């Protein structure tokens, strides 16, 4: 992918920036504007360093985003790894009635064809999760969408404490969890670059 005209101009490569702009104008069937290329808001600014993410103005935002990304990652991949464990277990995982059974989750139980079907359904949840997230982003905004999906994701995971032995119920809960988890990732991908100045986005 070619670099943006703004990046080229900020890097002191005015000729390449003009080439990019003229190519864009040509592809859009427009004539190139006349004049001198100037990037006003870049004067006196560095091109961005990793340390700038923890500057006084951006420190809180950066730390919050690190927490959001870590939580979203652990939650989503935790559900993905837990899915196979829940389907593999013949019900012993939920038998904590005061005494811990002598079963170990490290024991291997072969998955049945129906288990793979249930896993496939939970995997397909990512498509509607992403689509709903994209619609919510435009309707209620990035922050509210993220907060709503985190809240619903937490409630969905709490439903797993019900320890239902019906695999269709577990599948429905995991379907919701994976839909919300994948949606969280998409919202975080959209939101993260938007909160930083252009020179720090990459």
């Amino acid at each position: 992918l070619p670099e943006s005209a703004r990046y080229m101009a900020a890097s002191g490569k005015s000729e390449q920036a003009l080439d990019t702009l003229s190519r864009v104008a040509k592809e859009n069937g427009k004539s190139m504007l006349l004049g001198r290329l100037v990037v006003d808001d870049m004067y006196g600014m560095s091109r961005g360093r990793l340390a700038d993410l923890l500057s006084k103005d951006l420190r809180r935002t950066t730390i919050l985003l690190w927490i959001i990304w870590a939580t979203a990652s652990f939650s989503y991949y935790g559900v993905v790894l837990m899915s196979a464990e829940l389907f593999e277990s013949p019900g012993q995982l939920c038998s904590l009635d005061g005494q811990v059974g002598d079963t170990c989750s490290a024991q291997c139980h072969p998955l049945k064809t129906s288990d793979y079907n249930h896993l496939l359904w939970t995997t397909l949840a990512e498509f509607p999760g992403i689509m709903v997230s994209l619609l919510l982003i435009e309707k209620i905004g990035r922050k509210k969408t993220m907060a709503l999906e985190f809240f619903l994701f937490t409630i969905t995971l709490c439903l797993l404490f019900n320890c239902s032995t019906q695999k269709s119920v577990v599948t429905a809960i995991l379907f919701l969890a994976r839909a919300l988890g994948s949606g969280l990732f998409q919202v975080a991908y959209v939101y993260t670059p938007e909160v930083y100045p252009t020179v720090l986005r990459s």
Side-chain angles (χ1 to χ4, degrees):
L1 291 174
E3 295 290 354
S4 68
R6 179 185 172 84
Y7 174 81
M8 294 291 191
S11 302
K13 302 174 182 174
S14 299
E15 292 299 320
Q16 292 177 2
L18 286 170
D19 290 342
T20 301
L21 290 173
S22 61
R23 191 184 81 249
V24 169
K26 182 179 177 184
E27 288 176 2
N28 287 300
K30 303 289 181 183
S31 60
M32 181 66 178
L33 295 174
L34 300 176
R36 194 167 56 94
L37 181 65
V38 176
V39 184
D40 291 333
D41 59 346
M42 295 299 297
Y43 289 120
M45 291 182 67
S46 65
R47 277 190 40 203
R49 298 168 297 136
L50 190 59
D52 293 337
L53 294 175
L54 294 172
S55 66
K56 184 180 177 183
D57 296 336
L58 297 173
R59 186 177 301 130
R60 183 171 181 233
T61 300
T62 299
I63 291 171
L64 285 173
L65 281 172
W66 287 348
I67 292 170
I68 287 169
W69 275 102
T71 306
S73 300
F74 278 108
S75 301
Y76 174 76
Y77 289 111
V79 168
V80 169
L81 295 172
M82 185 174 54
S83 299
E85 185 76 17
L86 288 172
F87 288 125
E88 181 183 63
S89 167
Q92 295 108 326
L93 289 180
C94 295
S95 61
L96 297 177
D97 52 356
Q99 295 182 353
V100 178
D102 56 357
T103 59
C104 174
S105 63
Q107 292 175 341
C108 290
H109 300 283
L111 292 174
K112 301 172 189 165
T113 304
S114 62
D115 295 331
Y116 285 110
N117 289 335
H118 287 289
L119 282 171
L120 178 63
W121 277 110
T122 63
T123 304
L124 293 175
E126 296 188 16
F127 296 109
I130 292 169
M131 294 301 153
V132 169
S133 294
L134 293 176
L135 292 173
L136 282 174
I137 283 174
E138 297 304 320
K139 289 285 183 189
I140 63 174
R142 278 88 165 122
K143 286 183 182 180
K144 289 181 181 175
T145 301
M146 228 182 313
L148 178 66
E149 288 185 340
F150 265 123
F151 178 72
L152 294 175
F153 185 80
T154 303
I155 290 174
T156 304
L157 288 185
C158 289
L159 293 175
L160 286 175
F161 288 116
N162 181 30
C163 290
S164 174
T165 54
Q166 294 181 352
K167 294 209 173 172
S168 57
V169 174
V170 175
T171 302
I173 293 170
L174 291 173
F175 184 93
L176 283 171
R178 284 192 70 167
L180 291 165
S182 63
L184 268 172
F185 265 117
Q186 297 311 310
V187 178
Y189 274 118
V190 170
Y191 179 72
T192 301
E194 292 180 352
V195 295
Y196 289 114
T198 305
V199 292
L200 291 176
R201 286 182 183 173
S202 62

